[in-house]
């Protein structure tokens, strides 16, 4: 017996293909939504974790900034204390500066030079006086520059010719001068003395090395 299918099989197959396509499309959409949701959740977790880290870092930065402010305050207080201590030490060390100044002036003043005024402002000392000649003033400048550990950098301000009347018949020509010189502090004198001692020790050591005979000459002299 021959069976003949008179149903529209092509339309049915086309319908099944459409249903399969829509089903696969829906499954792909659902899978894409699941993947997108998973990626979104993963990124959200990463962002939340990074935000927690940022908050932790900000709190630590604020704590460190407060510590830095405290350290800066302590440093300024320490600097102020050191400055006060240095000022006190300078005052204690400079108590005898007037004594050293007068002593050095007396020692370095050459014959034929007389001081009429002496004034000190901070470390600058101004001298005014009368000298028998310009050579005496030059000698005073040399003494102050080279011979005194407490006085340095003398500078002649002016020198003016004048005259002194000793008697009715004795009028002598003199040189009226004014100069300034710098008075060293006790700490500066100590540093200069230490540097001079070190230089002298180095010079002595180099001289002893130059005088010492070489090893071969020493061995020959022993023979």
């Amino acid at each position: 017996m021959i069976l003949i299918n008179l149903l529209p099989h092509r339309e049915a197959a086309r319908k099944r293909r459409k249903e399969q396509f829509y089903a696969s499309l829906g499954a792909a959409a659902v899978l894409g939504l699941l993947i997108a949701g998973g990626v979104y959740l993963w990124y959200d977790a990463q962002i939340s974790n990074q935000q927690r880290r940022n908050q932790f870092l900000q709190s630590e930065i604020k704590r460190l900034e407060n510590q830095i402010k405290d350290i800066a305050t302590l440093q300024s207080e320490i600097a102020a204390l050191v400055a006060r201590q240095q000022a006190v030490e300078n005052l204690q060390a400079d108590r005898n500066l007037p004594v050293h100044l007068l002593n050095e002036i007396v020692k370095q003043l050459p014959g034929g030079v007389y001081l009429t005024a002496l004034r000190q402002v901070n470390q600058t000392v101004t001298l005014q006086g009368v000298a028998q000649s310009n050579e005496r003033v030059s000698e005073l400048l040399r003494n102050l520059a080279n011979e005194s550990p407490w006085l340095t950098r003398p500078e002649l301000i002016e020198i003016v010719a004048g005259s002194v009347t000793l008697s009715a018949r004795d009028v002598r020509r003199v040189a009226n001068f004014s100069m300034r010189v710098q008075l060293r502090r006790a700490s500066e004198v100590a540093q200069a003395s230490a540097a001079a001692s070190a230089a002298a020790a180095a010079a002595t050591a180099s001289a002893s090395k130059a005088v010492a005979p070489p090893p071969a000459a020493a061995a020959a002299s022993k023979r």
Side-chain angles (χ1 to χ4, degrees):
M1 179 177 174
I2 299 172
L3 297 177
I4 299 173
N5 186 7
L6 299 177
L7 296 174
H9 61 90
R10 291 185 179 86
E11 288 77 4
R14 190 179 296 111
K15 183 178 180 180
R16 287 194 302 270
R17 288 195 296 270
K18 286 183 179 180
E19 291 177 351
Q20 290 176 356
F21 173 75
Y22 289 137
S24 61
L25 186 62
V30 171
L31 181 61
L33 290 174
L34 290 176
I35 293 173
V39 171
Y40 172 78
L41 293 176
W42 183 80
Y43 276 111
D44 185 67
Q46 293 294 323
I47 291 172
S48 300
N49 189 20
Q50 188 63 40
Q51 288 178 348
R52 288 194 298 271
R53 291 180 180 177
N54 292 340
Q55 292 177 356
F56 174 76
L57 290 176
Q58 289 177 356
S59 62
E60 290 296 318
I61 288 171
K62 290 181 180 179
R63 184 175 64 84
L64 291 176
E65 286 178 350
N66 293 329
Q67 291 181 357
I68 290 172
K69 291 180 181 178
D70 294 338
I71 292 173
T73 303
L74 290 176
Q75 288 179 346
S76 61
E77 292 178 356
I78 291 172
L81 290 175
V82 170
R84 292 178 184 175
Q85 181 181 1
Q86 186 65 36
V88 172
E89 291 179 354
N90 289 336
L91 288 175
Q92 291 179 350
D94 295 345
R95 288 182 304 178
N96 298 326
L97 280 183
V99 178
H100 293 296
L101 172 61
L102 296 177
N103 186 32
E104 289 300 317
I105 291 296
V106 172
K107 287 171 57 178
Q108 306 306 330
L109 200 66
V113 178
Y114 307 93
L115 295 182
T116 58
L118 186 149
R119 183 178 62 182
Q120 179 183 357
V121 178
N122 295 328
Q123 301 305 116
T124 302
V125 180
T126 304
L127 304 176
Q128 293 180 352
V130 180
Q132 292 180 352
S133 62
N134 295 341
E135 288 76 12
R136 298 292 185 179
V137 179
S138 301
E139 184 179 356
L140 176 59
L141 288 171
R142 286 194 300 269
N143 292 344
L144 295 177
N146 303 322
E147 302 297 332
S148 176
W150 292 91
L151 301 174
T152 183
R153 298 199 304 274
E155 179 184 358
L156 182 64
I157 300 175
E158 67 174 357
I159 183 169
V160 180
S163 61
V164 174
T165 303
L166 299 179
S167 63
R169 296 183 179 181
D170 190 2
V171 178
R172 297 185 182 181
R173 297 184 61 83
V174 295
N176 298 313
F177 67 90
S178 62
M179 65 178 62
R180 67 172 63 94
V181 64
Q182 300 299 319
L183 178 62
R184 289 178 174 174
R185 295 184 181 274
S187 58
E188 296 174 350
V189 174
Q191 291 177 359
S193 177
S197 299
T204 303
S206 61
S208 62
K209 289 182 180 179
V211 172
S221 61
K222 289 181 179 179
R223 292 179 183 177

